[in-house]
Amino acid sequence: MSGRRPLRRSAAGAVVAILAALVLAADQFVKHLTIENLPYQEPVPVLGEFLQLYYVRNPGAAFSLGSEVTWIFTIALAVVTCVIVWKAFGLKSRLWAVVLGCLLGGVLGNLSDRLLREPGFPVGHVVDMISMPWMMPAIFNVADIFIVTGMISVALLVVFGLRFDGTRERDHEIVETEAEAEAAAAAAVTGTETDDEMVDAGDSVTLRASDDDAPSEGATPAPEGR
């Protein structure tokens, strides 16, 4: 295997924690600026129709789906957070640490809204402010960007076979193939030695049988009958 050595678990965990904290801080800072400076539900053009700022509070998921069951999204975000933290303890891969750190920060950004914002715990509304009408009708925030890009990155890492320990699937396949080849060679050598031993044993039995059939020296021949 080539490439840089894998990270220690403590270092990988630190990368995840630092990136998650930075993404969470950026998300909450932008939401604070949005609440303090943007009019509610009024578009503010930034790059014409390409990019707008549009402050809304979303009780549901994308496109405001599931507005009546906000608590389900809170539970889902909490579960995802626990899974990422659990996986972070066994990480040695730099790429996985970066991806999971950014994904965790995005999840925590929206989970914080669900837990701390109005109308209250655990059904708080998520603050959204980024609108790109030409691409999609949904309005999103900084946390959403990191969640979507994080999920895409996770899928790519899985497709390319990068493991949490920093190795790749193809490296394990090569090692297994070499081990199988060595095992087959050892079995072939053992089988050859066994065949040789069987041949030698057969020759010994044949020689012993021939010696038993031959008349011994000095033996008196049996008298012929009349």
Side-chain angles (χ1 to χ4, degrees):
M1 287 184 293
S2 61
R4 293 180 295 178
R5 296 177 58 186
L7 290 174
R8 292 180 300 174
R9 287 188 175 90
S10 58
V15 171
V16 173
I18 292 171
L19 288 176
L22 290 175
V23 172
L24 173 61
D27 174 70
Q28 293 299 309
F29 180 67
V30 172
K31 288 174 179 175
H32 172 74
L33 293 178
T34 298
I35 295 172
E36 294 295 325
N37 298 286
L38 291 181
Y40 188 67
Q41 291 187 340
E42 293 184 18
V44 177
V46 177
L47 295 175
E49 292 293 324
F50 182 82
L51 177 64
Q52 296 178 349
L53 296 179
Y54 195 91
Y55 169 32
V56 295
R57 290 179 176 267
N58 185 5
F63 306 103
S64 297
L65 297 176
S67 301
E68 304 300 324
V69 286
T70 304
W71 58 272
I72 292 181
F73 301 110
T74 304
I75 294 175
L77 291 171
V79 169
V80 173
T81 299
C82 292
V83 171
I84 295 175
V85 172
W86 172 53
K87 291 296 185 182
F89 283 106
L91 279 181
K92 289 185 178 181
S93 167
R94 291 175 176 82
L95 282 177
W96 271 112
V98 171
V99 169
L100 291 185
C102 293
L103 179 60
L104 178 60
V107 172
L108 289 175
N110 283 344
L111 180 60
S112 299
D113 287 4
R114 298 296 186 192
L115 298 177
L116 303 176
R117 296 193 187 278
E118 297 178 355
F121 180 92
V123 292
H125 295 177
V126 173
V127 175
D128 291 330
M129 77 294 295
I130 303 173
S131 175
M132 303 179 74
W134 64 273
M135 185 174 65
M136 66 178 79
I139 303 172
F140 51 96
N141 55 42
V142 174
D144 293 332
I145 295 173
F146 281 95
I147 291 174
V148 172
T149 55
M151 293 303 297
I152 294 174
S153 299
V154 167
L156 290 175
L157 292 179
V158 171
V159 169
F160 285 108
L162 182 63
R163 295 188 173 192
F164 289 140
D165 60 2
T167 61
R168 296 181 181 274
E169 293 289 345
R170 65 170 180 266
D171 297 330
H172 290 270
E173 292 174 359
I174 293 173
V175 171
E176 292 173 359
T177 302
E178 291 177 351
E180 292 173 357
E182 292 176 359
V189 171
T190 304
T192 302
E193 292 176 351
T194 303
D195 293 340
D196 292 342
E197 291 174 358
M198 293 178 64
V199 170
D200 293 341
D203 293 342
S204 299
V205 172
T206 303
L207 291 174
R208 190 177 298 110
S210 300
D211 293 341
D212 291 341
D213 293 340
S216 59
E217 295 181 358
T220 305
E224 295 181 358
R226 296 181 179 179

